[in-house]
Short mmCIF file of all heavy atoms in Angstrom, two decimals:
data_model
loop_
_atom_site.label_atom_id
_atom_site.label_comp_id
_atom_site.label_asym_id
_atom_site.label_seq_id
_atom_site.Cartn_x
_atom_site.Cartn_y
_atom_site.Cartn_z
N MET A 46 110.79 -66.18 -35.21
CA MET A 46 111.87 -65.36 -35.77
C MET A 46 112.04 -65.76 -37.22
O MET A 46 111.69 -66.85 -37.67
CB MET A 46 113.16 -65.61 -35.05
CG MET A 46 113.24 -65.09 -33.68
SD MET A 46 114.93 -65.28 -33.00
CE MET A 46 115.53 -63.66 -33.29
N ASP A 47 112.53 -64.83 -37.97
CA ASP A 47 112.79 -65.05 -39.39
C ASP A 47 114.09 -65.85 -39.56
O ASP A 47 114.99 -65.77 -38.71
CB ASP A 47 112.93 -63.67 -40.04
CG ASP A 47 112.95 -63.78 -41.57
OD1 ASP A 47 112.76 -64.87 -42.12
OD2 ASP A 47 113.14 -62.72 -42.23
N VAL A 48 114.19 -66.60 -40.62
CA VAL A 48 115.38 -67.45 -40.87
C VAL A 48 116.61 -66.57 -40.99
O VAL A 48 117.69 -66.88 -40.51
CB VAL A 48 115.14 -68.31 -42.10
CG1 VAL A 48 116.38 -69.12 -42.40
CG2 VAL A 48 113.97 -69.26 -41.86
N LYS A 49 116.49 -65.41 -41.67
CA LYS A 49 117.63 -64.54 -41.87
C LYS A 49 118.14 -64.05 -40.49
O LYS A 49 119.37 -63.93 -40.28
CB LYS A 49 117.26 -63.39 -42.73
CG LYS A 49 117.06 -63.80 -44.16
CD LYS A 49 116.73 -62.61 -45.07
CE LYS A 49 116.48 -63.03 -46.49
NZ LYS A 49 116.20 -61.94 -47.38
N GLU A 50 117.24 -63.75 -39.61
CA GLU A 50 117.63 -63.28 -38.23
C GLU A 50 118.34 -64.39 -37.50
O GLU A 50 119.34 -64.18 -36.83
CB GLU A 50 116.39 -62.83 -37.46
CG GLU A 50 115.74 -61.62 -37.97
CD GLU A 50 114.48 -61.27 -37.23
OE1 GLU A 50 114.19 -61.93 -36.22
OE2 GLU A 50 113.76 -60.36 -37.67
N LEU A 51 117.82 -65.61 -37.64
CA LEU A 51 118.43 -66.73 -36.93
C LEU A 51 119.82 -67.06 -37.48
O LEU A 51 120.72 -67.39 -36.69
CB LEU A 51 117.55 -67.97 -37.04
CG LEU A 51 116.22 -67.93 -36.30
CD1 LEU A 51 115.37 -69.15 -36.63
CD2 LEU A 51 116.46 -67.86 -34.80
N LYS A 52 120.02 -66.97 -38.78
CA LYS A 52 121.34 -67.23 -39.38
C LYS A 52 122.35 -66.20 -38.92
O LYS A 52 123.54 -66.52 -38.88
CB LYS A 52 121.24 -67.30 -40.87
CG LYS A 52 120.57 -68.56 -41.39
CD LYS A 52 120.61 -68.61 -42.89
CE LYS A 52 119.98 -69.93 -43.36
NZ LYS A 52 120.03 -70.09 -44.79
N GLY A 53 121.92 -65.02 -38.52
CA GLY A 53 122.84 -64.00 -38.10
C GLY A 53 123.31 -64.16 -36.66
O GLY A 53 124.26 -63.56 -36.24
N LEU A 54 122.60 -65.01 -35.88
CA LEU A 54 123.00 -65.20 -34.50
C LEU A 54 124.12 -66.19 -34.35
O LEU A 54 124.32 -67.05 -35.22
CB LEU A 54 121.77 -65.74 -33.72
CG LEU A 54 120.52 -64.81 -33.64
CD1 LEU A 54 119.38 -65.58 -32.93
CD2 LEU A 54 120.86 -63.56 -32.94
N ASP A 55 124.83 -66.06 -33.28
CA ASP A 55 125.93 -67.02 -33.03
C ASP A 55 125.38 -68.26 -32.36
O ASP A 55 124.21 -68.35 -32.03
CB ASP A 55 127.03 -66.37 -32.14
CG ASP A 55 126.55 -66.00 -30.78
OD1 ASP A 55 125.31 -65.76 -30.62
OD2 ASP A 55 127.35 -65.89 -29.86
N GLU A 56 126.21 -69.28 -32.19
CA GLU A 56 125.80 -70.56 -31.72
C GLU A 56 125.23 -70.49 -30.30
O GLU A 56 124.22 -71.14 -29.98
CB GLU A 56 126.98 -71.57 -31.74
CG GLU A 56 126.58 -72.96 -31.52
CD GLU A 56 127.71 -73.93 -31.70
OE1 GLU A 56 128.66 -73.58 -32.43
OE2 GLU A 56 127.65 -75.01 -31.09
N ALA A 57 125.85 -69.69 -29.43
CA ALA A 57 125.33 -69.61 -28.07
C ALA A 57 123.95 -69.00 -28.00
O ALA A 57 123.08 -69.44 -27.26
CB ALA A 57 126.31 -68.77 -27.25
N ALA A 58 123.69 -67.99 -28.82
CA ALA A 58 122.39 -67.33 -28.83
C ALA A 58 121.31 -68.30 -29.42
O ALA A 58 120.16 -68.32 -28.90
CB ALA A 58 122.43 -66.06 -29.68
N LEU A 59 121.70 -69.10 -30.39
CA LEU A 59 120.79 -70.08 -30.96
C LEU A 59 120.44 -71.16 -29.92
O LEU A 59 119.31 -71.56 -29.83
CB LEU A 59 121.41 -70.71 -32.20
CG LEU A 59 121.41 -69.84 -33.47
CD1 LEU A 59 122.25 -70.55 -34.55
CD2 LEU A 59 120.02 -69.57 -33.96
N LYS A 60 121.40 -71.56 -29.18
CA LYS A 60 121.15 -72.58 -28.14
C LYS A 60 120.23 -72.05 -27.05
O LYS A 60 119.39 -72.73 -26.53
CB LYS A 60 122.45 -73.11 -27.56
CG LYS A 60 123.18 -74.00 -28.52
CD LYS A 60 124.43 -74.62 -27.90
CE LYS A 60 125.12 -75.56 -28.93
NZ LYS A 60 126.32 -76.15 -28.36
N LYS A 61 120.44 -70.77 -26.69
CA LYS A 61 119.58 -70.11 -25.68
C LYS A 61 118.18 -70.00 -26.22
O LYS A 61 117.20 -70.33 -25.52
CB LYS A 61 120.09 -68.71 -25.32
CG LYS A 61 119.25 -68.08 -24.27
CD LYS A 61 119.68 -66.64 -24.04
CE LYS A 61 118.86 -65.96 -22.96
NZ LYS A 61 117.45 -66.08 -23.18
N GLU A 62 118.04 -69.65 -27.46
CA GLU A 62 116.67 -69.51 -28.10
C GLU A 62 116.05 -70.91 -28.16
O GLU A 62 114.82 -71.03 -27.92
CB GLU A 62 116.82 -68.92 -29.49
CG GLU A 62 115.50 -68.70 -30.19
CD GLU A 62 114.68 -67.61 -29.55
OE1 GLU A 62 115.23 -66.67 -28.94
OE2 GLU A 62 113.42 -67.65 -29.68
N LEU A 63 116.83 -71.92 -28.47
CA LEU A 63 116.30 -73.31 -28.54
C LEU A 63 115.79 -73.75 -27.19
O LEU A 63 114.70 -74.31 -27.04
CB LEU A 63 117.39 -74.24 -29.06
CG LEU A 63 117.01 -75.70 -29.24
CD1 LEU A 63 115.97 -75.82 -30.31
CD2 LEU A 63 118.21 -76.48 -29.63
N ASN A 64 116.54 -73.42 -26.12
CA ASN A 64 116.12 -73.77 -24.77
C ASN A 64 114.84 -73.05 -24.39
O ASN A 64 113.94 -73.64 -23.78
CB ASN A 64 117.24 -73.41 -23.77
CG ASN A 64 116.97 -73.95 -22.39
OD1 ASN A 64 116.24 -74.96 -22.24
ND2 ASN A 64 117.49 -73.27 -21.42
N ASP A 65 114.75 -71.76 -24.73
CA ASP A 65 113.50 -70.99 -24.47
C ASP A 65 112.36 -71.57 -25.17
O ASP A 65 111.24 -71.64 -24.59
CB ASP A 65 113.73 -69.51 -24.86
CG ASP A 65 114.76 -68.80 -23.99
OD1 ASP A 65 115.10 -69.34 -22.89
OD2 ASP A 65 115.19 -67.72 -24.44
N LEU A 66 112.52 -72.02 -26.42
CA LEU A 66 111.39 -72.58 -27.16
C LEU A 66 110.97 -73.92 -26.61
O LEU A 66 109.78 -74.22 -26.62
CB LEU A 66 111.78 -72.73 -28.66
CG LEU A 66 111.79 -71.44 -29.48
CD1 LEU A 66 112.37 -71.64 -30.85
CD2 LEU A 66 110.44 -70.84 -29.54
N HIS A 67 111.91 -74.72 -26.14
CA HIS A 67 111.56 -75.99 -25.49
C HIS A 67 110.71 -75.74 -24.21
O HIS A 67 109.75 -76.50 -24.00
CB HIS A 67 112.80 -76.82 -25.15
CG HIS A 67 113.33 -77.63 -26.29
ND1 HIS A 67 112.64 -78.66 -26.83
CD2 HIS A 67 114.48 -77.51 -27.03
CE1 HIS A 67 113.37 -79.16 -27.81
NE2 HIS A 67 114.46 -78.50 -27.94
N GLN A 68 111.12 -74.73 -23.46
CA GLN A 68 110.32 -74.39 -22.30
C GLN A 68 108.93 -73.91 -22.64
O GLN A 68 107.94 -74.26 -22.01
CB GLN A 68 111.07 -73.35 -21.45
CG GLN A 68 112.29 -73.88 -20.78
CD GLN A 68 113.06 -72.81 -20.03
OE1 GLN A 68 112.67 -71.64 -20.01
NE2 GLN A 68 114.13 -73.20 -19.41
N ALA A 69 108.87 -73.07 -23.67
CA ALA A 69 107.54 -72.59 -24.12
C ALA A 69 106.69 -73.72 -24.62
O ALA A 69 105.48 -73.75 -24.38
CB ALA A 69 107.74 -71.55 -25.23
N LEU A 70 107.27 -74.68 -25.37
CA LEU A 70 106.53 -75.82 -25.83
C LEU A 70 105.97 -76.66 -24.67
O LEU A 70 104.84 -77.12 -24.68
CB LEU A 70 107.39 -76.70 -26.76
CG LEU A 70 106.74 -77.91 -27.38
CD1 LEU A 70 105.59 -77.52 -28.27
CD2 LEU A 70 107.74 -78.70 -28.15
N PHE A 71 106.76 -76.81 -23.61
CA PHE A 71 106.32 -77.56 -22.43
C PHE A 71 105.13 -76.88 -21.83
O PHE A 71 104.11 -77.51 -21.48
CB PHE A 71 107.49 -77.69 -21.45
CG PHE A 71 107.07 -78.36 -20.17
CD1 PHE A 71 106.93 -79.73 -20.14
CD2 PHE A 71 106.90 -77.63 -19.02
CE1 PHE A 71 106.57 -80.33 -18.96
CE2 PHE A 71 106.54 -78.23 -17.84
CZ PHE A 71 106.37 -79.59 -17.78
N LYS A 72 105.20 -75.52 -21.68
CA LYS A 72 104.09 -74.80 -21.07
C LYS A 72 102.84 -74.87 -21.95
O LYS A 72 101.72 -75.00 -21.43
CB LYS A 72 104.51 -73.33 -20.86
CG LYS A 72 105.54 -73.17 -19.81
CD LYS A 72 105.96 -71.74 -19.60
CE LYS A 72 107.05 -71.64 -18.57
NZ LYS A 72 107.56 -70.25 -18.47
N LEU A 73 103.02 -74.81 -23.27
CA LEU A 73 101.87 -74.93 -24.16
C LEU A 73 101.19 -76.29 -24.07
O LEU A 73 99.98 -76.42 -24.06
CB LEU A 73 102.33 -74.66 -25.62
CG LEU A 73 102.65 -73.21 -25.94
CD1 LEU A 73 103.25 -73.15 -27.34
CD2 LEU A 73 101.41 -72.36 -25.86
N ARG A 74 102.01 -77.34 -23.94
CA ARG A 74 101.44 -78.68 -23.78
C ARG A 74 100.70 -78.82 -22.47
O ARG A 74 99.65 -79.49 -22.46
CB ARG A 74 102.57 -79.73 -23.89
CG ARG A 74 103.07 -79.92 -25.27
CD ARG A 74 104.10 -80.99 -25.34
NE ARG A 74 104.51 -81.25 -26.70
CZ ARG A 74 105.70 -81.80 -27.03
NH1 ARG A 74 106.53 -82.18 -26.11
NH2 ARG A 74 105.99 -81.96 -28.31
N LEU A 75 101.21 -78.21 -21.44
CA LEU A 75 100.46 -78.22 -20.13
C LEU A 75 99.12 -77.48 -20.24
O LEU A 75 98.13 -77.96 -19.75
CB LEU A 75 101.30 -77.62 -19.03
CG LEU A 75 102.44 -78.45 -18.46
CD1 LEU A 75 103.20 -77.67 -17.39
CD2 LEU A 75 101.87 -79.71 -17.80
N GLN A 76 99.17 -76.38 -20.92
CA GLN A 76 97.92 -75.62 -21.09
C GLN A 76 96.93 -76.42 -21.93
O GLN A 76 95.75 -76.40 -21.64
CB GLN A 76 98.21 -74.30 -21.81
CG GLN A 76 98.86 -73.26 -20.93
CD GLN A 76 99.19 -71.98 -21.66
OE1 GLN A 76 98.87 -71.86 -22.84
NE2 GLN A 76 99.83 -71.06 -20.98
N LYS A 77 97.42 -77.15 -22.91
CA LYS A 77 96.53 -77.95 -23.74
C LYS A 77 95.95 -79.09 -22.92
O LYS A 77 94.75 -79.39 -23.02
CB LYS A 77 97.25 -78.52 -24.94
CG LYS A 77 96.37 -79.29 -25.85
CD LYS A 77 97.11 -79.84 -27.06
CE LYS A 77 96.14 -80.61 -27.91
NZ LYS A 77 96.79 -81.66 -28.65
N ALA A 78 96.74 -79.68 -22.10
CA ALA A 78 96.28 -80.82 -21.27
C ALA A 78 95.21 -80.39 -20.27
O ALA A 78 94.32 -81.14 -19.94
CB ALA A 78 97.46 -81.48 -20.55
N THR A 79 95.35 -79.17 -19.79
CA THR A 79 94.34 -78.66 -18.82
C THR A 79 93.26 -77.87 -19.51
O THR A 79 92.49 -77.19 -18.80
CB THR A 79 95.05 -77.78 -17.76
OG1 THR A 79 95.72 -76.69 -18.42
CG2 THR A 79 96.07 -78.58 -16.95
N GLN A 80 93.22 -77.91 -20.80
CA GLN A 80 92.22 -77.23 -21.61
C GLN A 80 92.16 -75.73 -21.40
O GLN A 80 91.13 -75.12 -21.41
CB GLN A 80 90.84 -77.86 -21.38
CG GLN A 80 90.80 -79.31 -21.77
CD GLN A 80 89.46 -79.94 -21.51
OE1 GLN A 80 88.59 -79.31 -20.88
NE2 GLN A 80 89.27 -81.15 -22.03
N GLN A 81 93.33 -75.14 -21.21
CA GLN A 81 93.44 -73.69 -21.10
C GLN A 81 93.97 -73.06 -22.36
O GLN A 81 93.99 -71.85 -22.44
CB GLN A 81 94.37 -73.35 -19.91
CG GLN A 81 93.80 -73.76 -18.58
CD GLN A 81 94.79 -73.46 -17.44
OE1 GLN A 81 95.91 -73.11 -17.66
NE2 GLN A 81 94.33 -73.59 -16.19
N LEU A 82 94.43 -73.86 -23.28
CA LEU A 82 94.97 -73.33 -24.52
C LEU A 82 93.87 -73.20 -25.57
O LEU A 82 93.23 -74.17 -25.94
CB LEU A 82 96.07 -74.26 -25.05
CG LEU A 82 96.84 -73.84 -26.28
CD1 LEU A 82 97.60 -72.55 -25.98
CD2 LEU A 82 97.78 -74.90 -26.71
N HIS A 83 93.69 -71.98 -26.06
CA HIS A 83 92.63 -71.72 -27.01
C HIS A 83 93.14 -71.79 -28.46
O HIS A 83 92.45 -72.28 -29.36
CB HIS A 83 91.98 -70.35 -26.77
CG HIS A 83 91.40 -70.26 -25.43
ND1 HIS A 83 90.26 -70.93 -25.05
CD2 HIS A 83 91.77 -69.54 -24.31
CE1 HIS A 83 89.92 -70.67 -23.82
NE2 HIS A 83 90.87 -69.83 -23.34
N ASN A 84 94.37 -71.41 -28.69
CA ASN A 84 94.95 -71.46 -30.03
C ASN A 84 96.00 -72.58 -30.06
O ASN A 84 97.16 -72.38 -29.76
CB ASN A 84 95.62 -70.09 -30.36
CG ASN A 84 96.12 -70.01 -31.74
OD1 ASN A 84 95.90 -70.94 -32.52
ND2 ASN A 84 96.84 -68.95 -32.08
N THR A 85 95.55 -73.75 -30.47
CA THR A 85 96.41 -74.93 -30.50
C THR A 85 97.46 -74.83 -31.60
O THR A 85 98.42 -75.63 -31.61
CB THR A 85 95.61 -76.19 -30.66
OG1 THR A 85 94.81 -76.12 -31.82
CG2 THR A 85 94.73 -76.44 -29.43
N ASN A 86 97.32 -73.91 -32.51
CA ASN A 86 98.27 -73.71 -33.56
C ASN A 86 99.60 -73.20 -33.04
O ASN A 86 100.66 -73.35 -33.71
CB ASN A 86 97.76 -72.75 -34.63
CG ASN A 86 98.46 -72.84 -35.94
OD1 ASN A 86 98.90 -73.91 -36.36
ND2 ASN A 86 98.55 -71.73 -36.62
N GLN A 87 99.63 -72.67 -31.86
CA GLN A 87 100.84 -72.19 -31.24
C GLN A 87 101.82 -73.35 -31.04
O GLN A 87 103.06 -73.16 -31.14
CB GLN A 87 100.56 -71.52 -29.89
CG GLN A 87 99.87 -70.20 -30.00
CD GLN A 87 99.58 -69.63 -28.64
OE1 GLN A 87 99.49 -70.34 -27.66
NE2 GLN A 87 99.32 -68.32 -28.57
N ILE A 88 101.33 -74.55 -30.73
CA ILE A 88 102.20 -75.70 -30.52
C ILE A 88 102.91 -76.02 -31.82
O ILE A 88 104.09 -76.28 -31.82
CB ILE A 88 101.37 -76.92 -29.99
CG1 ILE A 88 100.85 -76.62 -28.59
CG2 ILE A 88 102.22 -78.17 -30.00
CD1 ILE A 88 99.92 -77.66 -28.04
N ARG A 89 102.17 -76.00 -32.91
CA ARG A 89 102.74 -76.34 -34.21
C ARG A 89 103.80 -75.33 -34.59
O ARG A 89 104.88 -75.68 -35.06
CB ARG A 89 101.62 -76.35 -35.24
CG ARG A 89 102.10 -76.69 -36.64
CD ARG A 89 100.88 -76.72 -37.59
NE ARG A 89 101.31 -77.10 -38.91
CZ ARG A 89 101.48 -76.25 -39.93
NH1 ARG A 89 101.31 -74.94 -39.71
NH2 ARG A 89 101.88 -76.65 -41.11
N ASN A 90 103.47 -74.02 -34.42
CA ASN A 90 104.44 -73.00 -34.73
C ASN A 90 105.74 -73.08 -33.92
O ASN A 90 106.84 -72.90 -34.40
CB ASN A 90 103.79 -71.61 -34.57
CG ASN A 90 102.72 -71.35 -35.59
OD1 ASN A 90 102.71 -72.00 -36.63
ND2 ASN A 90 101.82 -70.43 -35.26
N THR A 91 105.59 -73.41 -32.64
CA THR A 91 106.74 -73.57 -31.75
C THR A 91 107.61 -74.74 -32.20
O THR A 91 108.82 -74.65 -32.23
CB THR A 91 106.32 -73.72 -30.30
OG1 THR A 91 105.45 -72.63 -29.95
CG2 THR A 91 107.50 -73.78 -29.37
N ARG A 92 106.96 -75.85 -32.54
CA ARG A 92 107.73 -77.01 -33.00
C ARG A 92 108.49 -76.69 -34.31
O ARG A 92 109.62 -77.13 -34.50
CB ARG A 92 106.78 -78.18 -33.25
CG ARG A 92 106.36 -78.86 -31.97
CD ARG A 92 105.47 -80.07 -32.12
NE ARG A 92 105.55 -80.71 -33.42
CZ ARG A 92 104.48 -81.06 -34.18
NH1 ARG A 92 103.26 -80.75 -33.76
NH2 ARG A 92 104.62 -81.63 -35.30
N HIS A 93 107.86 -75.91 -35.21
CA HIS A 93 108.53 -75.54 -36.44
C HIS A 93 109.71 -74.60 -36.15
O HIS A 93 110.77 -74.73 -36.81
CB HIS A 93 107.53 -74.86 -37.39
CG HIS A 93 106.64 -75.84 -38.05
ND1 HIS A 93 106.51 -75.95 -39.43
CD2 HIS A 93 105.82 -76.76 -37.59
CE1 HIS A 93 105.69 -76.85 -39.74
NE2 HIS A 93 105.20 -77.37 -38.61
N ASP A 94 109.55 -73.70 -35.23
CA ASP A 94 110.69 -72.84 -34.84
C ASP A 94 111.82 -73.64 -34.27
O ASP A 94 112.98 -73.35 -34.53
CB ASP A 94 110.22 -71.77 -33.82
CG ASP A 94 109.28 -70.72 -34.42
OD1 ASP A 94 109.27 -70.61 -35.68
OD2 ASP A 94 108.58 -70.06 -33.67
N ILE A 95 111.54 -74.64 -33.44
CA ILE A 95 112.58 -75.52 -32.89
C ILE A 95 113.30 -76.24 -34.03
O ILE A 95 114.54 -76.26 -34.03
CB ILE A 95 111.98 -76.52 -31.89
CG1 ILE A 95 111.53 -75.79 -30.65
CG2 ILE A 95 112.98 -77.60 -31.54
CD1 ILE A 95 110.73 -76.64 -29.67
N ALA A 96 112.59 -76.72 -35.00
CA ALA A 96 113.19 -77.42 -36.12
C ALA A 96 114.09 -76.49 -36.94
O ALA A 96 115.18 -76.86 -37.39
CB ALA A 96 112.13 -78.04 -36.99
N ARG A 97 113.65 -75.24 -37.11
CA ARG A 97 114.43 -74.28 -37.85
C ARG A 97 115.76 -74.02 -37.16
O ARG A 97 116.84 -73.99 -37.81
CB ARG A 97 113.65 -72.94 -37.96
CG ARG A 97 112.72 -72.89 -39.04
CD ARG A 97 112.11 -71.47 -39.22
NE ARG A 97 110.87 -71.58 -39.98
CZ ARG A 97 109.64 -71.55 -39.45
NH1 ARG A 97 109.51 -71.40 -38.13
NH2 ARG A 97 108.58 -71.65 -40.17
N ILE A 98 115.72 -73.87 -35.84
CA ILE A 98 116.96 -73.57 -35.11
C ILE A 98 117.85 -74.77 -35.13
O ILE A 98 119.06 -74.65 -35.35
CB ILE A 98 116.63 -73.12 -33.65
CG1 ILE A 98 115.96 -71.78 -33.67
CG2 ILE A 98 117.86 -73.11 -32.80
CD1 ILE A 98 115.51 -71.27 -32.36
N LYS A 99 117.32 -75.98 -34.99
CA LYS A 99 118.17 -77.16 -35.06
C LYS A 99 118.80 -77.33 -36.40
O LYS A 99 120.01 -77.72 -36.48
CB LYS A 99 117.34 -78.41 -34.74
CG LYS A 99 117.01 -78.54 -33.25
CD LYS A 99 116.28 -79.86 -32.99
CE LYS A 99 116.06 -80.06 -31.49
NZ LYS A 99 115.47 -81.37 -31.22
N THR A 100 118.08 -76.98 -37.45
CA THR A 100 118.67 -77.07 -38.82
C THR A 100 119.79 -76.07 -38.98
O THR A 100 120.85 -76.41 -39.52
CB THR A 100 117.57 -76.79 -39.84
OG1 THR A 100 116.53 -77.73 -39.72
CG2 THR A 100 118.12 -76.84 -41.25
N ILE A 101 119.63 -74.84 -38.51
CA ILE A 101 120.68 -73.86 -38.60
C ILE A 101 121.88 -74.24 -37.79
O ILE A 101 123.02 -74.05 -38.25
CB ILE A 101 120.12 -72.47 -38.23
CG1 ILE A 101 119.09 -72.03 -39.27
CG2 ILE A 101 121.24 -71.44 -38.07
CD1 ILE A 101 118.32 -70.79 -38.86
N LEU A 102 121.68 -74.79 -36.59
CA LEU A 102 122.82 -75.28 -35.79
C LEU A 102 123.56 -76.39 -36.49
O LEU A 102 124.82 -76.45 -36.47
CB LEU A 102 122.31 -75.77 -34.43
CG LEU A 102 121.96 -74.66 -33.40
CD1 LEU A 102 121.31 -75.29 -32.18
CD2 LEU A 102 123.24 -73.92 -32.99
N ALA A 103 122.86 -77.28 -37.18
CA ALA A 103 123.48 -78.39 -37.89
C ALA A 103 124.30 -77.81 -39.07
O ALA A 103 125.43 -78.30 -39.40
CB ALA A 103 122.47 -79.39 -38.37
N GLN A 104 123.76 -76.83 -39.74
CA GLN A 104 124.47 -76.22 -40.87
C GLN A 104 125.74 -75.50 -40.44
O GLN A 104 126.77 -75.60 -41.06
CB GLN A 104 123.56 -75.20 -41.58
CG GLN A 104 122.46 -75.84 -42.37
CD GLN A 104 121.48 -74.84 -42.94
OE1 GLN A 104 121.54 -73.61 -42.58
NE2 GLN A 104 120.57 -75.26 -43.81
N LYS A 105 125.66 -74.84 -39.25
CA LYS A 105 126.84 -74.17 -38.74
C LYS A 105 127.89 -75.19 -38.31
O LYS A 105 129.10 -74.93 -38.45
CB LYS A 105 126.46 -73.21 -37.60
CG LYS A 105 125.73 -71.96 -38.04
CD LYS A 105 125.48 -71.01 -36.87
CE LYS A 105 124.69 -69.84 -37.33
NZ LYS A 105 125.56 -68.67 -37.45
N ALA A 106 127.45 -76.29 -37.79
CA ALA A 106 128.42 -77.34 -37.31
C ALA A 106 129.09 -78.00 -38.51
O ALA A 106 130.24 -78.45 -38.41
CB ALA A 106 127.71 -78.35 -36.48
N ALA A 107 128.42 -78.08 -39.60
CA ALA A 107 128.98 -78.72 -40.79
C ALA A 107 130.05 -77.90 -41.51
O ALA A 107 130.85 -78.40 -42.26
CB ALA A 107 127.86 -79.05 -41.80
N LYS A 108 130.02 -76.58 -41.24
CA LYS A 108 131.00 -75.70 -41.91
C LYS A 108 132.36 -75.80 -41.32
O LYS A 108 132.68 -76.19 -40.31
CB LYS A 108 130.51 -74.24 -41.82
CG LYS A 108 129.36 -73.99 -42.74
CD LYS A 108 129.00 -72.53 -42.69
CE LYS A 108 127.82 -72.25 -43.60
NZ LYS A 108 127.46 -70.87 -43.62
#
């Protein structure tokens, strides 16, 4: 997702998206371990998305 889209979401939606990304990351790691993952860059992108959401949540909490 784009940062502008994420900033427009409320805290509950961000937490749901964060949970979904954690589950997706787990599945990607399992696929990598079993050598079923062909595009390993997906793991990196998912980790970056998680970091973006955590940053936005921290910014909203600081306000």
Side-chain angles (χ1 to χ4, degrees):
M46 290 186 98
D47 190 6
V48 176
K49 290 181 181 181
E50 293 175 8
L51 290 174
K52 286 186 178 182
L54 297 176
D55 63 336
E56 189 174 337
L59 285 171
K60 287 184 179 181
K61 182 187 180 310
E62 184 69 26
L63 183 64
N64 189 28
D65 292 344
L66 285 172
H67 276 293
Q68 290 177 359
L70 182 61
F71 177 75
K72 290 177 184 178
L73 287 171
R74 285 182 177 159
L75 282 177
Q76 287 178 359
K77 183 180 180 208
T79 58
Q80 298 179 351
Q81 295 176 350
L82 183 64
H83 299 290
N84 186 6
T85 57
N86 198 33
Q87 290 177 338
I88 293 174
R89 180 178 183 261
N90 291 339
T91 305
R92 285 184 19 231
H93 283 237
D94 289 341
I95 289 171
R97 279 187 198 100
I98 291 176
K99 285 185 176 182
T100 301
I101 293 170
L102 283 171
Q104 288 173 350
K105 287 184 182 255
K108 288 184 180 180

